[in-house]
Amino acid sequence: APRVLSGIQPTAGSFQLGNYLGAVKQWVAMQDDHDAFYCVVDLHAITVEQDPKELHANTLLAYAQLLAAGVDPDRATLFVQSQVPEHAQLGWVMQCITGFGEANRMTQFKDKSARGGSDHASVGLFTYPILQVADILIYQADAVPVGEDQRQHLELTRDLAQRFNSRYGTTFTVPQPFIVKDTAKILDLQDPTAKMSKSLPHGAVFLLDDPKVIAKRLKSAVTDSETEVRFDPDTKPGVSNLLTILGAFTGRDVESLVLDYDGKGYGALKGDAAEAVVAFAQPFAARVAELQADPAELTRLMGAGAAKAQAVASTTLATVYERMGFVAAR
Ligand code: ATP
Ligand code: MG
């Protein structure tokens, strides 16, 4: 079966709905007919300052959310990135074959560093796409299910895989992006020109929030000064985003939804979107709470997942080290 790798950061307590629709939902769908590796990428989270207690709790919580969303640790390899040290080890090697200018072209660094003032941005935030390259290549992944925001990092992954292969001999599988078109980019509800992010909490819908808070977020989404419900992401990004969200949670296509709102205003659309998201979020949160009640079981599953992942990662790293000319310890 083709192998897939994907990760999510434990950067906030709860996943936001773009994480679910753009990534995690696909992870669940792919685990049956793929050799799936999914991880909580805590090494990526520390590219911005994290409170250690919160990071610890959020890593357990992210793992619980993946289980609650339907990732099955018997069918997929579900693990925590820092428990497999080969990610960081290969990350260093990949940094050394990356050009400074090449890394400097990554737009997510520009976006994220601009938020906190780029003088305060860490070197880790700058090089994090290269660690992501290592996350993918160390498993020889054929495809990477991610949202549209990760497309540029996937291109870097392909470039570096090809570069390493041509310099040192074929070592890595060159992966393909797997981006589900309809839900690839869920937009921020307060600023529908930006993507929804955990780290932009004002415009995000967090799935573990109280249903009242979730409903309020959707009902106060920024739209436009017209009244007609139409799907047009360019001129009506706010309304189109609500249609995408409603369609994804109800399993309906956007064209047929639009007909329902003929003669009705944005209020009806917002109310229905709120209802559909809450109908998913409520049982999801209940399942997460059950899983969180047994942290020993969560850490046991993490350990088993890391062992499965490391068996693959250590094999790749050994080949890489040998190809580079490193002398093996005997
Ligand atoms: P942060 O703000 O900390 O970067 P995030 O919300 O962007 O958090 P990540 O952990 O960086 O979440 O990404 C996890 C996965 O969710 C990735 O595959 C990413 O492409 C996907 N994703 C994130 N935001 C969206 C979005 N708005 N629409 C669709 N997919 C998304
Ligand atoms: Mg992100």
Side-chain angles (χ1 to χ4, degrees):
R3 184 170 287 166
V4 292
L5 173 287
S6 203
I8 187 160
Q9 303 190 64
T11 39
S14 169
F15 293 173
Q16 45 94 355
L17 68 83
N19 299 140
Y20 179 68
L21 296 179
V24 177
K25 194 176 171 204
Q26 273 56 251
W27 298 12
V28 175
M30 291 178 98
Q31 64 189 347
D32 287 320
D33 47 3
H34 290 78
D35 181 14
F37 286 72
Y38 301 135
C39 54
V40 178
V41 289
D42 50 354
L43 297 177
H44 289 291
I46 63 165
T47 54
V48 298
E49 191 176 343
Q50 300 289 333
D51 175 80
K53 279 204 185 69
E54 274 178 30
L55 180 65
H56 189 273
N58 286 342
T59 302
L60 286 160
L61 184 53
Y63 200 91
Q65 288 176 88
L66 292 174
L67 293 170
V71 176
D72 176 355
D74 289 327
R75 284 180 286 170
T77 301
L78 181 61
F79 64 102
V80 175
Q81 186 189 26
S82 64
Q83 294 184 358
V84 184
E86 286 82 357
H87 288 246
Q89 292 175 294
L90 181 63
W92 175 253
V93 173
M94 298 319 287
Q95 285 192 49
C96 294
I97 67 162
T98 307
F100 189 85
E102 190 173 33
N104 206 21
R105 281 194 290 277
M106 297 297 121
T107 54
Q108 214 174 70
F109 174 75
K110 296 192 175 91
D111 295 345
K112 281 199 176 180
S113 62
R115 280 182 218 157
S118 54
D119 286 353
H120 298 287
S122 69
V123 175
L125 186 63
F126 181 71
T127 59
Y128 119 83
I130 309 168
L131 179 58
Q132 199 178 326
V133 168
D135 298 337
I136 297 163
L137 297 185
I138 198 121
Y139 297 107
Q140 308 285 4
D142 298 293
V144 186
V146 284
E148 184 64 45
D149 61 314
Q150 296 300 320
R151 187 184 288 279
Q152 197 188 27
H153 296 165
L154 244 301
E155 274 311 310
L156 179 69
T157 307
R158 291 169 53 83
D159 289 347
L160 293 180
Q162 280 158 349
R163 185 172 310 155
F164 190 98
N165 287 348
S166 70
R167 275 192 204 170
Y168 302 104
T170 303
T171 305
F172 294 121
T173 304
V174 180
Q176 301 287 336
F178 179 87
I179 296 172
V180 179
K181 210 174 154 283
D182 294 342
T183 53
K185 194 171 179 181
I186 301 296
L187 303 174
D188 187 288
L189 294 180
Q190 290 303 310
D191 172 12
T193 62
K195 83 157 191 92
M196 189 180 284
S197 288
K198 286 187 240 95
S199 53
L200 294 173
H202 299 299
V205 173
F206 291 103
L207 294 173
L208 298 182
D209 268 354
D210 190 89
K212 287 198 196 76
V213 175
I214 293 177
K216 197 170 161 221
R217 279 291 160 94
L218 285 149
K219 287 178 183 167
S220 57
V222 168
T223 48
D224 53 58
S225 55
E226 298 178 5
T227 53
E228 191 197 356
V229 173
R230 264 188 304 118
F231 187 76
D232 185 346
D234 291 331
T235 62
K236 298 171 77 69
V239 168
S240 303
N241 192 40
L242 288 168
L243 285 166
T244 301
I245 292 168
L246 178 58
F249 281 109
T250 55
R252 292 191 48 196
D253 60 79
V254 161
E255 291 72 38
S256 88
L257 278 177
V258 168
L259 302 176
D260 290 5
Y261 295 99
D262 190 29
K264 298 182 194 165
Y266 293 168
L269 170 62
K270 288 178 179 179
D272 291 347
E275 202 178 297
V277 175
V278 167
F280 171 82
Q282 247 177 339
F284 175 74
R287 180 74 189 120
V288 171
E290 281 173 24
L291 290 160
Q292 260 192 309
D294 192 352
E297 174 63 4
L298 288 176
T299 50
R300 187 192 68 76
L301 289 170
M302 284 176 177
K308 276 206 281 177
Q310 194 167 21
V312 178
S314 61
T315 305
T316 306
L317 190 73
T319 307
V320 167
Y321 274 18
E322 189 198 317
R323 297 258 156 95
M324 304 278 314
F326 292 165
V327 176
R330 290 272 178 250

